[in-house]
């Protein structure tokens, strides 16, 4: 680069090429600007540029433009401010508990006022139990010519969970109060609170008895090794229903009525079948809460096991008698030879009796198992056939003896139970 300078202050002009006079003000300032600082001549004020600080050095390493850094900083400041405002609001604006007016029941003498202030505990418990039991959909159709009432159990929704896993194993029992002995049961649906049944049952109801009957539909939770828990029920007086038309409707489940038929007791037994050998094993384990048959409030129970082949008496066995108890423990096993070709034609009748030395032995309750059975008895029998060589134990509720006898359909001279031992 060539600098051309004429020195006017000298007597003669000199041309300087390739170098710069040291004392020239303008040239000195140009050189200083190139080096990052400004230096003035004696006739000019001196200005210097400071070296970058730590913050500038740190910001120079961030690969973002300056406007983006400013935006992020402003947003962070706003968020921090909002956070501080929320903390201050939560700490300083806590609701103070209101002072409740205390009513001294000792100063109140009117019993009506006391009931208004402090309701009965039974009413509160019933209100709690009434909630969240679910709904049941059903249909009714009455045939005036045949005098038959057809009840259709459609489905249930939002049932109350009865098991620890938050589900239930629901099934429905249907009967009329005019004939409690005739009861129908739907299939059991596992682990669901919204079962779809779609089953129908027919009752013989004379037209004159329709207005005096009440249809009862109870939903139970099935338990193999304990008592079945009732979820809720629907009671429908037929006098309040217009049976001229087919009815299909939903009803809320209510708490089960405490006034029910007499409880006969429960029995637990195990079933096992081996197809290859044709051996049917019945293990009578125990019974509980049996009906009181003696004057002292106890019973002397024993169990009979009958095998019915093609509706005819075939084989029978019985346990020992347990004295003065309503919860006997037997643990007695019986083995029957039943060929696999005949297993579909065999019915098993298990009956609990009260032993009496003076008079005839009285039946307490009975159960029918086999392919012609219904409800839990049919399920127990089906589970046995589906799991050969495996013993399956289950609790069952005893049924009235006449109900089982009617279901067997035996002739009068073969009617069970037999009073001989």
């Amino acid at each position: 680069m060539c600098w051309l300078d004429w020195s006017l202050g000298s007597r003669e002009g000199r041309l300087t090429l390739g170098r710069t006079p040291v004392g020239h003000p303008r040239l000195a300032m140009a050189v200083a600007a190139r080096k990052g600082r400004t230096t003035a001549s004696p006739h000019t004020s001196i200005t210097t540029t400071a070296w970058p600080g730590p913050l500038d050095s740190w910001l120079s390493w961030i690969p973002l433009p300056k406007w983006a850094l400013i935006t992020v900083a402003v947003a962070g400041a706003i968020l921090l401010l909002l956070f501080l405002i929320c903390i201050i609001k939560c700490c300083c604006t806590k609701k103070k508990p209101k002072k409740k007016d205390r009513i001294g029941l000792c100063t109140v003498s009117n019993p009506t006022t006391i009931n208004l202030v402090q309701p009965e505990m039974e009413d509160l418990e019933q209100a709690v139990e009434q909630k969240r039991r679910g709904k049941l959909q059903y249909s009714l159709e009455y045939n005036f010519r045949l005098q038959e009432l057809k009840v259709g159990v459609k489905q249930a929704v939002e049932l109350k969970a009865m098991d620890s896993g938050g589900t239930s194993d629901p099934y429905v029992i249907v009967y009329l109060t005019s004939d409690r002995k005739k009861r129908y049961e739907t299939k059991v649906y596992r682990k669901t609170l919204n079962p779809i049944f779609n089953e129908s049952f027919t009752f013989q109801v004379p037209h004159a008895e329709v207005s005096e009957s009440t249809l009862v539909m109870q939903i139970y939770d099935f338990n193999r090794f304990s008592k079945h828990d009732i979820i809720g029920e629907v009671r429908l007086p037929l006098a309040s229903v217009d049976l001229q038309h087919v009815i299909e409707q939903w009803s809320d489940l209510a708490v089960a009525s405490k006034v029910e038929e007499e409880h006969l007791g429960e029995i637990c037994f195990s079933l096992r079948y081996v197809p290859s050998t044709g051996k049917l094993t019945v293990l009578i384990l125990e019974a509980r809460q049996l009906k009181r048959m003696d004057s002292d409030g106890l019973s002397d129970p024993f169990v009979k096991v009958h095998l019915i082949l093609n509706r005819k008496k075939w084989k029978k066995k019985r346990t020992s008698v347990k004295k003065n108890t309503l919860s006997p423990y037997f643990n007695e096993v019986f083995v029957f030879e039943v060929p696999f070709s005949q297993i579909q034609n065999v019915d098993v009748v298990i009956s609990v009796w009260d032993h009496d030395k003076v008079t005839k032995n009285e039946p307490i309750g009975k159960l029918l198992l086999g392919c012609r059975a219904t409800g839990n008895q049919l399920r127990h029998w089906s589970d046995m056939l589906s799991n050969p060589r495996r013993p399956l134990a289950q609790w069952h509720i005893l049924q009235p003896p006449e109900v089982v006898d009617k279901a067997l359909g035996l002739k009068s001279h073969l009617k069970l139970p037999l009073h001989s031992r």
Side-chain angles (χ1 to χ4, degrees), residues 180-196:
R180 296 176 183 269
K181 297 177 181 179
K182 188 171 185 179
R183 303 159 66 98
Y184 293 103
E185 295 182 11
T186 68
K187 296 179 181 178
V188 179
Y189 290 83
R190 300 285 186 178
K191 297 181 180 180
T192 177
L193 300 180
N194 301 285
I196 299 177

Side-chain angles (χ1 to χ4, degrees), residues 53-118:
L55 181 60
D56 296 337
S57 176
W58 180 74
L59 291 176
S60 64
W61 287 96
I62 300 177
L64 291 174
K66 189 174 183 180
W67 64 268
L69 295 176
I70 295 174
T71 303
V72 172
V74 172
I78 294 175
L79 292 176
L80 181 60
L81 181 61
L82 293 175
F83 180 71
L84 293 175
I85 292 174
C86 292
I87 293 178
I88 295 173
K89 186 176 181 180
C90 293
C91 295
C92 299
T93 62
K94 288 184 178 180
K95 294 183 179 180
K96 296 182 179 181
K98 296 181 179 179
K99 295 182 179 180
K100 297 182 179 180
D101 297 332
R102 297 182 180 179
I103 301 176
L105 296 180
C106 297
T107 60
V108 181
S109 58
N110 189 352
T112 304
T113 308
I114 295 178
N115 291 334
L116 292 176
V117 175
Q118 186 175 2

Side-chain angles (χ1 to χ4, degrees), residues 185-222:
E185 295 182 11
T186 68
K187 296 179 181 178
V188 179
Y189 290 83
R190 300 285 186 178
K191 297 181 180 180
T192 177
L193 300 180
N194 301 285
I196 299 177
F197 300 103
N198 284 334
E199 298 185 39
S200 59
F201 311 102
T202 302
F203 297 89
Q204 294 290 335
V205 186
H207 186 265
E209 298 180 3
V210 170
S211 59
E212 301 176 359
S213 300
T214 298
L215 176 65
V216 181
M217 293 171 284
Q218 297 176 326
I219 300 184
Y220 281 84
D221 173 47
F222 174 82

Side-chain angles (χ1 to χ4, degrees), residues 159-308:
L159 293 179
K160 180 180 178 181
M162 306 298 288
D163 299 335
S164 57
T167 60
S168 295
D169 301 324
Y171 68 96
V172 183
I173 293 180
V174 185
Y175 65 91
L176 293 173
T177 55
S178 58
D179 186 10
R180 296 176 183 269
K181 297 177 181 179
K182 188 171 185 179
R183 303 159 66 98
Y184 293 103
E185 295 182 11
T186 68
K187 296 179 181 178
V188 179
Y189 290 83
R190 300 285 186 178
K191 297 181 180 180
T192 177
L193 300 180
N194 301 285
I196 299 177
F197 300 103
N198 284 334
E199 298 185 39
S200 59
F201 311 102
T202 302
F203 297 89
Q204 294 290 335
V205 186
H207 186 265
E209 298 180 3
V210 170
S211 59
E212 301 176 359
S213 300
T214 298
L215 176 65
V216 181
M217 293 171 284
Q218 297 176 326
I219 300 184
Y220 281 84
D221 173 47
F222 174 82
N223 295 303
R224 183 176 292 276
F225 300 108
S226 61
K227 184 179 179 180
H228 301 178
D229 300 318
I230 186 167
I231 301 176
E233 69 176 11
V234 174
R235 287 182 175 265
L236 185 64
L238 297 183
S240 63
V241 180
D242 183 12
L243 295 177
Q244 298 289 340
H245 309 282
V246 178
I247 298 172
E248 183 171 324
Q249 62 186 14
W250 287 89
S251 293
D252 294 326
L253 293 176
V255 180
S257 175
K258 295 181 180 179
V259 181
E260 274 299 329
E261 64 182 65
E262 186 178 19
H263 184 68
L264 301 177
E266 302 174 44
I267 184 171
C268 181
F269 55 87
S270 170
L271 298 177
R272 178 175 181 262
Y273 183 69
V274 181
S276 58
T277 60
K279 291 188 179 299
L280 173 64
T281 303
V282 180
L283 173 60
I284 305 298
L285 292 170
E286 59 180 315
R288 64 188 180 191
Q289 301 176 1
L290 294 178
K291 179 183 176 182
R292 296 175 174 85
M293 303 295 289
D294 298 339
S295 58
D296 57 358
L298 298 174
S299 298
D300 302 323
F302 67 95
V303 179
K304 288 183 180 182
V305 181
H306 288 84
L307 258 64
I308 310 299

Side-chain angles (χ1 to χ4, degrees), residues 117-154:
V117 175
Q118 186 175 2
E120 293 292 338
M121 293 303 298
E122 294 181 357
D123 296 338
L124 295 177
E125 292 175 357
Q126 185 176 4
V128 173
E129 291 183 356
Q130 187 70 25
K131 297 179 181 178
R132 299 183 300 274
R133 290 190 172 271
K135 297 182 178 181
L136 178 66
Q137 185 187 30
Y138 56 91
S139 63
L140 297 177
E141 182 180 0
Y142 186 74
N143 190 319
F144 287 88
R145 182 176 62 85
L146 301 177
Q147 296 187 353
E148 292 180 347
L149 177 65
K150 185 177 181 181
V151 181
V153 181
K154 301 297 183 180

Side-chain angles (χ1 to χ4, degrees), residues 35-37 48-54 56-57:
K35 292 182 179 181
R37 62 181 182 271
T48 60
T49 304
W51 291 95
D56 296 337
S57 176

